[in-house]
Amino acid sequence: MLRVRSPAGTARITVEPTASGEDFAQMMLDGIPKSERDEIDPTTLRLSNQPGTSGESVPFDALQGRKVGDMGFSHGDLLFLSYKTGPPASSHPTTDASSPHPHPAQPDPAHPHTHLDPPLHGTIPLPDLGNVEEPEVDVYWKSQDGKIRRKRDQVMCRHGEKGMCDYCMPLEPWDSAYIAEKQIKHLSYNAYLRKLLSSRPPSAASSSAVVIPPLTPLSLSVMQPCPTGSHPPFPAGICSTCQPSALTLSSQPFRMVDHVEFADPSIIEGLLTAWRRTGTQRIGFLIGRYDKYDEVPMGVKIVVEALWEPKQEGEVDGLTVETPWEEEPRVAEIAGWCDKGLGVMGMIYTDLTPSDEDITKLLYKRHAQSYTASSLDMLLSAAYQISHPLPTKASPTGQFSSRFVTCCLTGNAEGVVEVLAWQATEQAEAMVKAGIVEATVDPGVVRVRKPGEGEYIPEVFYSFKNEYGIQVKMPAKPTFPVEYLFVNVTHGFPVKPSPLFLSNSFPIENRPGLHDQSMELVISQLGGILRGCDGEVTDSSTWPPRTKQQVAKWLSDWHLVAFLCMQGIFSLEEQKILARAATVHAHPKDSLAVEQLFASSGWSTLLMLVESSASIRSPPPANPPSAAFDAMGIDSPTPASRQPAPPAQAAPSGERVCPHCTFVNEGGRSDCEICGLPLDG
């Protein structure tokens, strides 16, 4: 027996657990007087476990295809039925269950505007949420109980080894005492989900991801058109139903990612090398995968295996990068071939400034007394997170927030490089998507925009404890602290590095003027390996095992694999084999990938180019010991494959032209006034 309370009164319904959802819906409608039932707008029928808007509600369409026994109801439960009377709105937006759900376009923080999308635009019918493909790490944690195991307390436990009591029984992953003891500031995403489901009956919790998703994406957009249909579309009309509610900023109790692990220190060093040699800031996208993180209950970490640097223009105090990133789909595809689950996980950029007192040390400018992440950082992070949503069955839209992380290389108190990592909160994503906030001159505060013509900006508040320990609520207009918009993420390196890619000898992409990628360089490097080979260059079957191992290690370079896949030498299937061959050491079951690559037609074409080149016949000059120079902090000499820069030309008036930036310097100078490089080349 279930009780259903509606505007027409409370009705008692006796229904069998095997009854279909359609029959259950009809029983509830039969409990409404016929005079009122005929005036109900079917699109507004919703069923909730709490009165008003405080509980979780689902549309009547969610009952289709389900059994009453699978909905988590218990005998005597009180349900709340809500609806609106009047003719149905003909322009009410609907979503076809069979239509694709592409990732949303990335908003531009510099050009905010009022969005007219409904709060749950693109809502997927609940039975179809089973088709959402979640990350493997989330599937793994769903299959685990997630409880925190404890050993028998030698002092408090009075039972035997096989017994259990309150002092040694497993704790829930959200246990507040354990979280405080371990100084865990934020719950993991999966522990937070488990906490939301803990208040439901066991039968409901086991199927809640399908019946009633526990998460509801936040939206600060105006509903267009209004579900009531009682007024013209915005901005001609607005009511309490279609306008977004006021927002109170608060600390987010969970974080989508708990830790960022760099598989090898050379990943960061490659980005720092570009800054050291040019003095301009650089940005790169993190290529990695998800993995479980045991330091936090039901934790998730990102393991970064490589970087991809997009087209950009670096400056001393900033940089300009292409938006949107046009190569992202292709880069993500190649990464997925290299390892299952490998893809674009975030971004990292430098914010490095040498100290005025000692140029060998870095300026310490991101700290508790200034800011950790600036308002512009937050808008950028939120914009990228919006374009990389997390697929999940726990949300009615099939997506919730994002696991896209942001890392920054900056100076610490000792004047050396440190990594800062963070994520924008879900509230920050909603504010950026709705065009509510904008960056300010002060990096520590965010400004709430003033609404323009045809725009609606909801009220924004933030709360804090004053000097008397009292919780105070303040309006966020015109500004509020940026700390409300992000959560910190820890980072580190493995004790025993086991990177997916073994080599980094090939130049990094999109670094014009510093070093360039080319097929000539590929042929030169491969020819250098095969120069001492006793077998035939074009017949890999005659190569000795040592040569094959050297070639396999040379191929295990992310930048080389991506470059070769984008050159058109290899077919699509051969590109997949190439990616597998680059990571064969991490996949023992795929040990034949290298031999399959050597037998492909694309590889034969590459070997023919190597044989026909002069590099295989005459040894080039010895390469300079770049590693030794780098260890001493000295720029490596120009490689032999490059022509040395011509000396500075003398102008007729005694002035000297810089061979690097072409600036005309005054006579008598040894270094360029603009770029600081030697005028003698």
Side-chain angles (χ1 to χ4, degrees):
M1 189 274 293
L2 298 175
R3 296 172 294 163
V4 180
R5 181 174 298 172
S6 67
T10 302
R12 296 174 181 265
I13 299 176
T14 302
V15 60
E16 296 294 332
T18 57
S20 64
E22 293 84 349
D23 294 340
F24 179 46
Q26 188 60 44
M27 291 180 185
M28 288 187 286
L29 291 177
D30 292 341
I32 303 174
K34 188 176 185 306
S35 58
E36 186 175 347
R37 189 194 318 159
D38 296 338
E39 298 181 0
I40 294 177
D41 181 1
T43 61
T44 63
L45 284 166
R46 300 188 70 86
L47 189 65
S48 175
N49 60 350
Q50 295 290 336
T53 58
S54 58
E56 298 174 342
S57 63
V58 294
F60 259 36
D61 294 341
L63 305 179
Q64 298 179 4
R66 306 290 302 173
K67 299 292 185 183
V68 175
D70 298 334
M71 298 179 184
F73 300 139
S74 301
H75 179 71
D77 280 355
L78 177 61
L79 306 177
F80 297 87
L81 177 63
S82 62
Y83 54 83
K84 295 183 182 296
T85 58
S90 59
S91 58
H92 185 74
T94 58
T95 301
D96 187 1
S98 61
S99 62
H101 302 277
H103 286 180
Q106 177 181 311
D108 186 357
H111 300 86
H113 57 280
T114 298
H115 286 251
L116 301 179
D117 299 333
L120 293 182
H121 176 69
T123 298
I124 304 175
L126 296 181
D128 292 346
L129 285 176
N131 299 326
V132 176
E133 185 176 351
E134 297 181 310
E136 286 189 358
V137 66
D138 291 334
V139 176
Y140 168 80
W141 282 125
K142 279 188 176 182
S143 64
Q144 307 295 316
D145 61 7
K147 294 184 180 295
I148 304 169
R149 309 298 174 186
R150 295 190 295 175
K151 296 181 179 180
R152 180 176 178 272
D153 194 307
Q154 299 297 332
V155 177
M156 305 302 296
C157 294
R158 303 297 183 185
H159 51 77
E161 292 294 334
K162 296 184 178 180
M164 186 179 295
C165 65
D166 291 342
Y167 297 101
C168 61
M169 66 182 297
L171 300 175
E172 296 292 348
W174 66 86
D175 185 78
S176 57
Y178 180 86
I179 297 299
E181 178 186 355
K182 298 298 182 180
Q183 297 183 350
I184 300 174
K185 190 175 181 180
H186 304 278
L187 292 175
S188 66
Y189 165 72
N190 287 282
Y192 179 71
L193 277 182
R194 198 63 61 89
K195 181 179 180 180
L196 295 179
L197 298 174
S198 63
S199 59
R200 301 181 177 183
S203 59
S206 62
S207 60
S208 58
V210 177
V211 179
I212 304 179
L215 299 174
T216 301
L218 176 65
S219 176
L220 301 175
S221 307
V222 178
M223 279 191 181
Q224 179 70 9
C226 179
T228 63
S230 59
H231 58 79
F234 181 82
I238 194 170
C239 67
S240 58
T241 302
C242 59
Q243 74 178 25
S245 303
L247 175 66
T248 299
L249 297 174
S250 59
S251 177
Q252 185 168 279
F254 66 95
R255 57 187 176 189
M256 307 298 293
V257 175
D258 303 287
H259 187 72
V260 178
E261 180 182 288
F262 294 91
D264 192 83
S266 62
I267 298 174
I268 293 179
E269 189 62 28
L271 200 65
L272 292 175
T273 300
W275 173 80
R276 293 191 184 105
R277 296 186 177 181
T278 63
T280 59
Q281 310 301 330
R282 297 291 297 179
I283 186 174
F285 289 99
L286 307 177
I287 308 298
R289 53 183 169 81
Y290 301 128
D291 199 357
K292 58 187 180 69
Y293 184 54
D294 297 328
E295 300 299 323
V296 175
M298 304 185 75
V300 175
K301 69 178 178 180
I302 290 178
V303 180
V304 181
E305 299 287 358
L307 296 182
W308 176 276
E309 297 186 13
K311 298 176 182 178
Q312 56 190 286
E313 293 182 8
E315 301 176 9
V316 175
D317 58 349
L319 55 89
T320 303
V321 63
E322 62 171 349
T323 303
W325 179 23
E326 296 181 356
E327 297 174 325
E328 179 177 5
R330 180 61 172 152
V331 172
E333 181 183 33
I334 297 174
W337 295 338
C338 294
D339 192 16
K340 186 176 182 180
L342 203 68
V344 180
M345 298 290 142
M347 62 180 173
I348 183 172
Y349 50 83
T350 61
D351 184 15
L352 304 169
T353 304
S355 175
D356 296 334
E357 291 79 10
D358 186 358
I359 61 173
T360 62
K361 295 183 179 294
L362 298 173
L363 189 64
Y364 183 37
K365 54 184 176 181
R366 291 178 182 251
H367 49 80
Q369 284 68 41
S370 59
Y371 64 95
T372 300
S374 68
S375 56
L376 190 59
D377 290 331
M378 281 304 100
L379 298 185
L380 182 65
S381 298
Y384 274 107
Q385 288 179 206
I386 292 171
S387 61
H388 296 80
L390 174 69
T392 176
K393 299 176 183 178
S395 170
T397 62
Q399 299 172 345
F400 182 78
S401 192
S402 174
R403 283 210 174 109
F404 192 92
V405 298
T406 303
C407 301
C408 178
L409 300 177
T410 185
N412 61 9
E414 286 75 30
V416 298
V417 178
E418 83 169 339
V419 181
L420 299 177
W422 65 77
Q423 275 195 300
T425 64
E426 188 204 0
Q427 291 180 331
E429 294 175 9
M431 296 178 76
V432 170
K433 187 175 182 179
I436 294 177
V437 292
E438 60 186 5
T440 63
V441 177
D442 185 352
V445 297
V446 183
R447 179 176 179 268
V448 178
R449 293 180 56 248
K450 294 182 179 180
E453 184 178 357
E455 292 184 324
Y456 180 84
I457 303 295
E459 293 292 330
V460 181
F461 301 90
Y462 68 97
S463 61
F464 62 95
K465 287 186 177 181
N466 60 13
E467 61 271 20
Y468 305 105
I470 301 175
Q471 197 75 18
V472 180
K473 188 175 181 180
M474 296 288 292
K477 293 183 179 180
T479 60
F480 63 91
V482 71
E483 286 79 9
Y484 286 88
L485 298 185
F486 71 93
V487 292
N488 291 314
V489 179
T490 61
H491 71 278
F493 300 88
V495 178
K496 297 180 179 180
S498 180
L500 185 64
F501 300 99
L502 304 178
S503 175
N504 56 5
S505 60
F506 196 71
I508 299 175
E509 60 282 337
N510 296 319
R511 287 188 178 182
L514 188 59
H515 48 227
D516 299 319
Q517 296 179 334
S518 64
M519 282 302 301
E520 289 78 8
L521 186 58
V522 174
I523 295 172
S524 175
Q525 291 185 349
L526 182 57
I529 298 175
L530 300 179
R531 186 173 299 111
C533 176
D534 296 333
E536 293 291 334
V537 173
T538 56
D539 188 1
S540 57
S541 61
T542 62
W543 296 351
R546 181 178 179 181
T547 301
K548 292 183 178 181
Q549 293 176 0
Q550 291 176 343
V551 173
K553 183 178 180 180
W554 171 73
L555 284 172
S556 185
D557 188 321
W558 159 251
H559 304 286
L560 175 62
V561 171
F563 174 78
L564 291 177
C565 288
M566 295 183 179
Q567 292 305 302
I569 297 180
F570 297 92
S571 65
L572 183 62
E573 290 300 322
E574 291 173 346
Q575 293 174 23
K576 297 178 181 180
I577 297 175
L578 171 63
R580 288 163 41 211
T583 58
V584 67
H585 62 281
H587 306 93
K589 295 182 179 180
D590 202 13
S591 57
L592 299 178
V594 176
E595 295 298 334
Q596 292 176 359
L597 176 65
F598 289 167
S600 64
S601 60
W603 182 257
S604 300
T605 302
L606 180 60
L607 293 182
M608 291 178 62
L609 294 175
V610 171
E611 186 183 35
S612 61
S613 66
S615 61
I616 195 66
R617 301 188 183 96
S618 58
N623 290 326
S626 58
F629 280 98
D630 291 341
M632 294 185 292
I634 304 175
D635 286 347
S636 302
T638 305
S641 60
R642 281 204 195 167
Q643 294 295 332
Q649 300 176 359
S653 59
E655 298 173 337
R656 306 186 66 186
V657 179
C658 177
H660 307 283
C661 67
T662 69
F663 179 75
V664 180
N665 296 267
E666 296 180 358
R669 293 186 61 92
S670 59
D671 296 333
C672 179
E673 181 180 355
I674 297 299
C675 66
L677 297 175
L679 296 177
D680 294 332

